[in-house]
Amino acid sequence: MKNKTDKAEEQKTREPTVENIRDLILDAKKKAYAETDSEPEPELTSTVEWPVTCTVGPGLEGAIACESKIGYVNGSKGWLIYRGYDIFDLCAYSTFEETSYLLLHGRLPSQSELTEFTTSLRERMFIPQTQRLMLSFPIETMNPMSALRLGTNLMRQKQTYRDRDSDTEVGEILATDDDTIPMETRPAGKKNPVFEFLTGLFKRVHPASADALVGSDEIESCYNLIAGVASVAATIGRTRAGRIPLEPLPECGFAGNYLYMVTGKRPTALEERIMDISLILHADHGMNASTFASMVVASTLSDIYLAIGAGISALSGPLHGGANVEVVKMLAEIGDPSNAGNWFRDTTAAKKKIMGFGHRVYKAYDPRARILGPISALLTENDATLKKTYATAVALEAEVVSELGATKKIFPNVDFYSGIVYSAMGIPRELYTTVFAVSRVAGWCARVVEYLENNRIFRPRALYTGTFDEKYIPPNER
Ligand code: ACO
């Protein structure tokens, strides 16, 4: 039996505080490394001789399309590494701003670079013109991911060089790609003035060059996208709730501002930290479908806003980023931990996949789920409904892992617990996938910029298995 001191200690570590979250992540790291210790060490390489030989499965499984120094996923070890840094360490110690800088620039920023970058992102979250343009569309009734793609494209409001019809006379300089259309900032005596944006609060200041890339068009666009997609996503959430869009607060960081702009409530330090961790966790993940989609579009030398729009489109599907919404629906359908066993047996008998489980790459426990699982335990402790949802998730996980863990290497993936975490922070279910996108923009941008340095248009082949000798018969004779 536990004595009183043990119980008090256990209670203390389970209290949701910023410090306890760090300990919890470092504990999860220890557990992860201990569990996969016996897996063989990966063979790493720093040089590649092209062309490479690899075995390719359907859906390009196993295909090697490029080299990258951005991120590494090891499915059997359960490792996720950004630019050499372990995801557990980044979640324990870093912020989304710092992690985005790391992904984009390949190194951690100095203190002054970090301050400058954080300020720059906050300023770029201020997108009143885009918000106004968005409000002229029915975004409150659109699928949030479609609205996110629309808003992302609307952020780039001036014609760019690539938009030009080569025969058209263009009378102005065409290079600007940010939130640039000057608009009325105060109601000017119109009959029904609705919105007033406090444009004086933020003044756009571009950072001085910190290294060769800063200041280049691509990097400026990446900064605009990382910051702006968050504001676009928040605008969608607010509009769906029948509220006016909000501006970022000068005193909040990226995660805090994003949460504030979605929920309308100033987040607590704990909520801000958990959102920060969620954003870090989702920022990059190898050549997944949405990253690949962005890179394919960028490889045609299309525009980076359109490339990120392609990433958003790919992420919206239920087999990718849309799975977290499906998980929460599924847990609601199961209803109670005691139903998990029967539900699991019925579902597998019907040969249906269980949302939030399985992964193309991870054949061990997804490190992101290792972090989000304990965080959801902590966050749901004081809410009876969410506590039951969490307990149902734990019961389902036990069923799935005991049945499919050893045989098929099926474990929870990142989407299994993320919805519970978002729900505990007041984010509506239909916005979960947009949270994923807000974070992944950093990875998409980093990978697109890296790929463009040695660009080659993507062009895989399909094996033709059709016929050759069909004779055309006119419609009226068929
Ligand atoms: N539930 C039950 N069985 C599963 C699951 C699952 N979630 N995932 C895979 N399996 C089984 C398959 O039935 C298959 O079994 P079989 O060999 O007996 O036919 C085997 O595991 C391999 O499955 P594949 O579908 O071939 O694996 P693939 O790598 O193609 O798919 C995917 C990966 C799409 C993620 C899949 O596991 C799945 O659909 N999961 C549910 C959706 C989900 O959670 N998606 C989020 C992924 S994480 C992300 O995108 C951020």
Side-chain angles (χ1 to χ4, degrees):
M1 263 194 55
K2 285 185 177 130
N3 64 32
K4 270 190 179 168
T5 332
D6 287 343
K7 274 194 179 162
E9 194 53 36
E10 192 176 282
Q11 194 60 35
K12 197 173 124 216
T13 54
R14 292 181 68 186
E15 269 168 27
T17 63
V18 172
E19 294 71 33
N20 286 345
I21 296 273
R22 175 174 296 172
D23 293 345
L24 176 155
I25 293 168
L26 296 175
D27 286 349
K29 178 183 180 183
K30 267 192 221 147
K31 201 169 165 210
Y33 276 74
E35 275 179 24
T36 57
D37 197 35
S38 58
E39 291 292 332
E41 289 297 313
E43 283 175 27
L44 300 172
T45 180
S46 55
T47 51
V48 181
E49 290 287 330
W50 291 93
V52 292
T53 305
C54 52
T55 306
V56 180
L60 291 182
E61 183 175 9
I64 296 169
C66 60
E67 295 166 44
S68 177
K69 289 187 166 47
I70 290 172
Y72 173 69
V73 185
N74 187 304
S76 49
K77 286 279 203 190
W79 288 353
L80 174 55
I81 311 280
Y82 297 167
R83 299 276 192 188
Y85 295 90
D86 192 297
I87 194 66
F88 287 105
D89 293 337
L90 290 172
C91 283
Y93 302 111
S94 184
T95 59
F96 179 68
E97 289 94 324
E98 189 180 51
T99 299
S100 301
Y101 189 101
L102 172 71
L103 287 168
L104 274 173
H105 293 279
R107 61 179 173 82
L108 289 172
S110 67
Q111 182 60 62
S112 63
E113 284 168 339
L114 180 60
T115 307
E116 193 172 45
F117 184 60
T118 302
T119 308
S120 171
L121 285 189
R122 190 186 301 117
E123 288 164 357
R124 290 163 199 261
M125 286 181 99
F126 182 61
I127 53 163
Q129 288 89 351
T130 301
Q131 287 172 323
R132 285 188 175 206
L133 281 179
M134 287 176 72
L135 296 176
S136 60
F137 291 87
I139 54 168
E140 66 282 6
T141 55
M142 285 173 75
N143 171 305
M145 289 297 278
S146 303
L148 191 66
R149 186 186 50 204
L150 170 73
T152 301
N153 289 341
L154 290 177
M155 279 165 60
R156 176 180 154 287
Q157 292 154 9
K158 273 194 180 174
Q159 258 194 331
T160 69
Y161 176 73
R162 289 190 188 96
D163 288 333
R164 273 166 62 184
D165 180 331
S166 51
D167 294 334
T168 314
E169 281 282 311
V170 182
E172 59 176 316
I173 296 167
L174 300 172
T176 316
D177 62 1
D178 54 2
D179 189 66
T180 45
I181 292 183
M183 288 201 184
E184 174 184 270
T185 53
R186 286 168 188 278
K190 297 218 171 95
K191 206 171 163 205
N192 297 308
V194 185
F195 301 108
E196 182 175 2
F197 292 95
L198 305 172
T199 48
L201 203 54
F202 286 92
K203 201 162 153 271
R204 191 174 297 273
V205 183
H206 294 305
S209 282
D211 61 40
L213 279 175
V214 174
S216 74
D217 284 352
E218 281 86 2
I219 285 293
E220 286 290 317
S221 301
C222 293
Y223 289 7
N224 288 337
L225 279 158
I226 293 170
V229 171
S231 303
V232 168
T235 301
I236 295 162
R238 291 284 292 174
T239 315
R240 288 178 72 92
R243 310 272 176 155
I244 62 164
L246 293 168
E247 297 170 357
L249 297 169
E251 67 273 22
C252 277
F254 186 92
N257 259 325
Y258 171 49
L259 251 186
Y260 162 71
M261 290 166 76
V262 175
T263 63
K265 283 189 300 196
R266 199 177 285 243
T268 63
L270 181 76
E271 287 167 337
E272 192 164 348
R273 185 67 199 130
I274 290 173
M275 179 46 77
D276 224 352
I277 291 165
S278 305
L279 295 173
I280 293 169
L281 275 178
H282 288 86
D284 185 66
H285 206 254
M287 293 282 281
N288 56 84
S290 57
T291 300
F292 187 53
S294 296
M295 290 169 66
V296 169
V297 171
S299 81
T300 69
L301 298 186
S302 172
D303 174 289
I304 193 164
Y305 285 73
L306 300 182
I308 298 307
I312 292 170
S313 308
L315 188 67
S316 67
L319 293 187
H320 194 7
N324 53 12
V325 180
E326 300 304 318
V327 168
V328 181
K329 285 187 198 159
M330 173 184 78
L331 294 174
E333 186 192 315
I334 299 172
D336 191 274
S338 61
N339 300 333
N342 284 339
W343 186 91
F344 170 69
R345 280 180 285 282
D346 291 348
T347 306
T348 40
K351 301 221 175 302
K352 285 191 194 151
K353 281 189 176 161
I354 300 144
M355 289 292 137
F357 287 88
H359 199 276
R360 174 63 61 83
V361 181
Y362 290 118
K363 301 304 164 199
Y365 207 109
D366 184 331
R368 303 165 300 175
R370 271 197 202 277
I371 293 173
L372 290 174
I375 287 181
S376 38
L378 214 76
L379 277 179
T380 53
E381 188 64 25
N382 299 320
D383 179 312
T385 313
L386 282 174
K387 198 172 173 181
K388 192 164 158 192
T389 308
Y390 173 72
T392 307
V394 171
L396 180 62
E397 177 183 331
E399 295 287 342
V400 177
V401 172
S402 75
E403 196 66 29
L404 303 176
T407 51
K408 294 193 183 174
K409 307 272 186 200
I410 303 281
F411 297 98
N413 60 46
V414 64
D415 287 323
F416 191 56
Y417 288 106
S418 63
I420 301 179
V421 171
Y422 301 153
S423 176
M425 287 195 292
I427 298 175
R429 185 193 291 183
E430 63 278 10
L431 298 184
Y432 294 171
T433 316
T434 62
V435 183
F436 193 153
V438 164
S439 160
R440 188 55 63 83
V441 173
W444 292 332
C445 286
R447 295 214 176 230
V448 161
V449 169
E450 182 189 58
Y451 190 75
L452 287 177
E453 282 168 19
N454 291 303
N455 185 47
R456 188 141 200 250
I457 188 167
F458 280 99
R459 182 52 169 100
R461 292 165 52 207
L463 285 177
Y464 181 68
T465 55
T467 56
F468 289 93
D469 46 6
E470 301 288 344
K471 287 267 177 298
Y472 182 82
I473 302 166
N476 60 346
E477 291 174 27
R478 280 175 217 160

